[in-house]
DNA sequence: CGGCTCAACTGGAATGATTCCAGTTTAGGG
DNA sequence: CCCTAAACTGGAATCATTCCAGTTGAGCCG
């Protein structure tokens, strides 16, 4: 049990703390993402259905949206892949994505705080956040050679 | 290698230099992206049709794919937006995207060469490239603050 | 310079992720 | 316990992109 936060906050507590109604779908979705970081909406749908029985596709999208807006989840969208959700919020960490199987790893930006985060020429834009995505090969795909093997998934 | 094609290189020369067949669709697409950096596939389709008359959707996607594979174009895919194409290839510059209208600007990474590009913990991944996306507001949207914006959140 | 061949193109249908919509259920404050 | 807004249902729609089967044309070759 990781007790990084003050005590092991239950999904229910997290929801209430964020001023959201506590519903079965939200609790299940929160738990699903907690157990499977970087889960896709589809994966969450699967987990939630396995736990609750019938849940509509829309409900899961609604829930993921609500939780993301409330700051309980963070959504990441690697180019060419469906969106994924994670529970690590607040810290602006980055991600490394496997070109072959799409697996994702977290990357803490320890190189100072924001090295790249101030563009040299911002074209008059007001910069709010900077997002770094690393692309490469995960250990599994690296070992298997470079086969386009869509059967691998963590 | 010698200097690649000079700035004044015609689309035809660029295509031949890349070992690609010279077709009307490719020439037109290359010119379209040249005149409208960060154009979407749809925008390119519009330009190409304006120039050539009837061109199929598939042809434009084929062309953009071929040109991207050949290194004549670079594709960028900001989360939540359709893919865009640009002619600045080779240098690993980055992009700033307007949250409000989706406008895109180029950002040269002058802060050293690759500050963020070496993750602190790579999880065993083989990192090939790093991609930085800045999110913010473009000058127009910043000034307006409201109006042509469906989901304003200043 | 006319033929040949395969890459390129046509047009229509399919895909996958996500959203819209109208009606029904339910959490939780009064 | 009752009410109301928020959440959920299920089906259809959207949007970018790709798949498919047949047709056209660029560029090489004799």
């Amino acid at each position: 049990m990781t007790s990084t936060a003050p005590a092991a906050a239950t999904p229910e507590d997290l929801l209430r703390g964020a001023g959201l109604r506590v519903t079965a779908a939200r609790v299940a979705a929160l738990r699903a993402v907690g157990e499977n970081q970087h889960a896709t909406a589809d994966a969450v749908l699967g987990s939630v259905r396995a736990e609750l029985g019938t849940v509509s596709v829309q409900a899961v999208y609604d829930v993921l949206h609500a939780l993301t807006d409330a700051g309980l989840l963070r959504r990441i969208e690697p180019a060419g892949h469906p969106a994924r959700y994670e529970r690590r919020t607040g810290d602006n960490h980055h991600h490394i994505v496997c070109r072959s199987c799409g697996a994702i790893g977290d990357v803490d930006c320890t190189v100072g705080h924001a090295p790249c985060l101030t563009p040299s020429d911002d074209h008059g834009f007001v910069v709010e956040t900077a997002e770094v995505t690393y692309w490469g090969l995960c250990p599994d795909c690296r070992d298997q050679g470079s086969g386009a093997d869509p059967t691998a998934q963590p």
Side-chain angles (χ1 to χ4, degrees), chain A:
Chain A
M1 314 325 180
T2 43
S3 48
T4 47
T10 65
E12 287 82 352
D13 289 339
L14 288 171
L15 288 168
R16 266 186 275 266
L20 293 177
R21 285 194 185 177
V22 177
T23 71
R26 285 174 178 180
V27 172
L30 213 37
R31 184 149 44 218
V33 177
E35 286 164 5
N36 176 19
Q37 288 290 7
H38 311 131
T40 60
D42 199 58
V44 173
L45 178 64
S47 295
V48 172
R49 280 188 173 160
E51 192 176 331
L52 302 181
T54 307
V55 175
S56 69
V57 173
Q58 187 58 25
V60 167
Y61 278 99
D62 277 353
V63 164
L64 290 174
H65 235 103
L67 297 181
T68 302
D69 289 347
L72 295 180
L73 290 183
R74 179 176 165 197
R75 160 206 248 133
I76 53 189
E77 296 177 57
H81 294 270
R84 285 158 179 274
Y85 297 85
E86 66 183 352
R87 298 254 321 242
R88 282 262 125 76
T89 59
D91 64 336
N92 183 36
H93 67 98
H94 306 306
H95 297 97
I96 177 164
V97 185
C98 178
R99 277 192 199 291
S100 178
C101 69
I104 294 189
D106 286 333
V107 175
D108 293 302
C109 193
T110 52
V111 188
H113 249 171
C116 265
L117 307 197
T118 306
S120 47
D121 177 4
D122 61 12
H123 291 263
F125 278 64
V126 179
V127 181
E128 293 168 355
T129 58
E131 188 188 321
V132 183
T133 303
Y134 303 93
W135 294 89
L137 286 177
C138 71
D140 285 353
C141 292
R142 185 229 301 150
D143 291 344
Q144 298 172 7
S146 59
D149 179 4
T151 54
Q153 254 297 324

